[in-house]
Structures are given as structure tokens and as C-alpha cells.
Amino acid sequence: MIDIFEYGKDNTDKVFTRSQLTNVSVRESVSEIIKNVRENGDESLFEYALKFDGIDVQKSGIAVSDREIKDAYKAVSPELLSSLRRSIENVLDYHKRQIDRFSSEIYDVKSSSKLGWMYRAMDKAGLYIPGGKASYPSSILMCSLPAKAAGVKEISLATPNPKNPLTLVAAAECGIDKIYKVGGAHAIAALAFGTKSVGKVDIIAGPGNVYVTEAKKQVYGFVGIDMIAGPSEILVIADDSANARFVAADMLSQAEHDELAASILVTPSRKLAEETAIEIERQRKTMSRKGIIDASLKNNGAIIIAKDMSECIEIADRIAPEHLELCVENAAEVAKRIRNAGAVFVGNYSPEPLGDYFAGPSHCLPTSGSARYFSVLSVDTFMKKISYIEYSKEDLFEGALDITAIAECEGLTAHANTIYERLNYEKG
């Protein structure tokens, strides 16, 4: 049975402490893997693939072949393929609409000088898609299509030993250029530094376990990353207008991801809290991943009773959840008051799986409270803004005293000298 807490009276620390990047042994293991792949390239990469992924990529080939993709298409039903294509259409349309915001602009300043900015897509993106306890073909759409919409030239995908045929079909349908049968921290290292078999990329994006997340953290700076993400989580704010059956079902949908996933209900209604707990107990018995759900709810599940809607919002903003559902009256108005969340699902008929598979926005979201400073994966993830500065001689000299004064105050005389050299040249 899921625990029910009263906010301000009971100890609710477990719902506010979600970071997974505190395990020293994980950090050290990942550091060694990255070092070996960086120094030894394919030799170490192939060894780790055999050890952790259970596949001899040196023998079978690390890159997915055209034959394997054709075989995957044969294993996917026409109905499932149609569903996949409708989802692709929605996700691509949503992200293409963001492109208009990335218009470069050069404007006039002073008498004959210009300033501005230029947007450019990154050249090469590396995507990571898990393949451990479950396969996630949907994540291929949610990572690759924003990159496609942005205009990334080359997209690579790393996924460990892809057994679900829909994984390869999704990659093909999304136009991914290269698919590597490799996972874990060693895949992240290969994408970050490149090997003979795996091309180096500019940014790595996509979800993964604690080893993948730690690896992304450690290679950041050599390449860009989308975010530091952790186990999946959902927070539902619900009042007496909500349906306990719906709330329970939505909480269970996240609990089945893995034992570290978090499912939290925050409500001002004790009646709804108790009804939801009963519904969770009833519905969980029929779920295929019941063992994982039970562990998840025991470790990280909670129902928190708040005094009013303002306190519910305060709790939600403090947790900064990956998924935030608003099953309340005037849900759209409540959404305007939310400051920290990866994605907000507004109303009783906007369940989280709608965002996972079909609506359009990416389901690659910040977790573990990082929604306070990270954003959802989108076209923005794969774009760069470049400053544009063009001054005339007259305008530069007009600012010469200000520039040299600040440079000399910092003790950077060579900076100031760039101005003096130009001034002296003009004086003859």
C-alpha cells in the first residue's frame, strides 16, 4: 500500500531528494570505461559491448545493416507501422513550428555598424536509447525528430542489442543516418570521442540508466548534452473534482518504468487521497510489471495531503517533477501558476502516456528536480546562437576610450593595445 503523508506534519524528505549521481562506485566505474574507450577506441568498445550488452559486435558488425532493417519491417504489423507514422507526423509537426523562433537578425547601430545574432543547427547529433529492462522505440521519435526539425546534418543512434523490431523501424522511419548496436557508458564515450567504427558527434541526447547519465555528465565539455536526467517521475495535483481511478492509473504508469521511478499525488482532499490509495491497490494487481511497480511505490511513491491548492503548487514547484498532471478544476488557470516542471498535462483527459507516444512534444524531460534549470528536449537542444559584431572605423574610435579604460583596469594591456594600434595607424 502506498504511504499517505500530511504535509508539514509527516516526514516527506524522500520525495524531495531524487539525485542519483551520488554513487562513488558508479562514478569511478564510468570514469574507467570512458578512459579506456578514449585511449583504446574500438578495442575497449568491443570488449565492453560483449561484457555489458551481450553481443560480439566485432563479429556481427557494430552498425545495423540494411538487411537487419528490412527484416525488422517484416516483423512489424501494418497497423503498428501506421500508428508509428501518425505519431511521427505529430511530433515532427510540433517541432517544425518552433523553427520560426530561430530567425537570425542583423540590425544597424551607431552610424554604420551592425550587431545581431545568427542561429545554426549543430552538425552531428548522437542519440542514446535504452534497451535494458524495456525497449523504447518511442524515445527515438522524441529525440531524433527535434534534431531533424532543427536541421542537424547527421544523426547517429546508439542502442544496446536492439531486439525489438520497432526500434529499428522507428529509426529508419525517422531518417537516422547511423545505428550502432552498443549501449551503456561505453557507447557514450564512443560518441563523445569517436572510434574507428563510431563517429564523433557534437551533442549527445537521450535517456539512460545511472551509468549512461554519469557518462554524459563526465563527457560534457568535450561534447554538448541535452540534460542530466534520472529515473522517471510523475506528480499529480488533484482535487475533489478528479477521478481516483484516473489518478491511480496515471501514477502506476510511471511506477512500472523501474524500481527507482517516483509516483506522487498531492491533494487538498483526504477523501481523494484515500480513494486513490484503494484504486492503486486494486489496479496494480493486474499489471504485467507488478513487481517493479510494487518496489517503485514502496521506495518512491507517496500521497501528500496539503492544506489548499496554493500549497499543492508550492510542493510541486519544490519537487520540480518530470511530468506534472493537473487533475483539478480550472486546470488551465492553475497551469499558469506552475514554475518548475518538465511537462504539464492539463485536465483529466491529458494523461502522461499521451505525451509519451503521440501528442507531439518530446517526452525526453528533466528529472530529479532539474526542471528548475533544464528544459524539455526540443529544437532548442540542437541549435546554437552566434553573435554578430560589425563596427565601422568611426564607431570603433568613438568607443576607444571606454574600451581601453576597462581593459587597462583589468590589467589586460594587450587588449587595449588592439585599439591603440589602430588609432596610431590612422594618425600615421
Side-chain angles (χ1 to χ4, degrees), residues 406-417:
I406 296 171
E408 288 171 351
C409 178
E410 292 184 345
L412 300 178
T413 56
H415 280 60
N417 187 57

Side-chain angles (χ1 to χ4, degrees), residues 104-109 112-120 384-392:
S104 301
E105 182 176 340
I106 310 296
Y107 61 93
D108 295 328
V109 294
S112 56
S113 300
K114 300 178 185 295
L115 293 176
W117 51 87
M118 304 180 296
Y119 284 103
R120 299 290 185 268
K384 305 170 294 180
K385 181 190 280 187
I386 304 170
S387 297
Y388 182 97
I389 302 166
E390 178 188 346
Y391 257 50
S392 67

Side-chain angles (χ1 to χ4, degrees), residues 63-134:
V64 171
S65 66
D66 291 342
R67 177 77 264 170
E68 288 173 296
I69 292 175
K70 288 179 181 178
D71 289 343
Y73 268 96
K74 294 176 182 177
V76 173
S77 70
E79 295 78 14
L80 181 55
L81 182 58
S82 294
S83 295
L84 179 74
R85 286 173 173 168
R86 283 191 290 270
S87 182
I88 289 173
E89 183 179 354
N90 291 347
V91 176
L92 191 57
D93 176 71
Y94 176 86
H95 288 94
K96 280 183 175 179
R97 291 173 184 269
Q98 298 177 12
I99 289 297
D100 290 342
R101 297 190 300 103
F102 294 95
S103 57
S104 301
E105 182 176 340
I106 310 296
Y107 61 93
D108 295 328
V109 294
K110 302 286 186 180
S111 59
S112 56
S113 300
K114 300 178 185 295
L115 293 176
W117 51 87
M118 304 180 296
Y119 284 103
R120 299 290 185 268
M122 297 181 191
D123 289 333
K124 297 181 179 181
L127 309 180
Y128 185 87
I129 304 300
K133 294 179 180 177

Side-chain angles (χ1 to χ4, degrees), residues 283-304:
Q283 294 181 30
R284 57 172 272 280
K285 296 176 182 178
T286 64
M287 300 296 127
S288 61
R289 294 164 70 88
K290 180 178 173 294
I292 292 175
I293 288 172
D294 290 349
S296 171
L297 293 177
K298 179 181 179 181
N299 296 331
N300 301 297
I303 296 175
I304 301 174

Side-chain angles (χ1 to χ4, degrees), residues 141-190:
L141 280 59
M142 301 300 181
C143 292
S144 66
L145 296 178
K148 281 285 183 183
V152 174
K153 293 179 181 178
E154 182 179 288
I155 302 175
S156 301
L157 168 68
T159 186
N161 198 6
K163 297 177 181 178
N164 186 337
L166 192 63
T167 297
L168 298 185
V169 170
E173 290 287 319
C174 291
I176 289 176
D177 300 289
K178 299 176 182 177
I179 310 170
Y180 301 116
K181 295 177 283 189
V182 64
H186 44 296
I188 300 300

Side-chain angles (χ1 to χ4, degrees), residues 125-129 143 156-157 188 191 201 203-207 216 224-227 364 377 381-382:
L127 309 180
Y128 185 87
I129 304 300
C143 292
S156 301
L157 168 68
I188 300 300
L191 291 170
V201 300
I203 185 171
I204 298 174
K216 286 171 66 178
I225 61 171
D226 53 345
M227 65 188 81
C364 297
L377 187 149
T381 306
F382 302 98

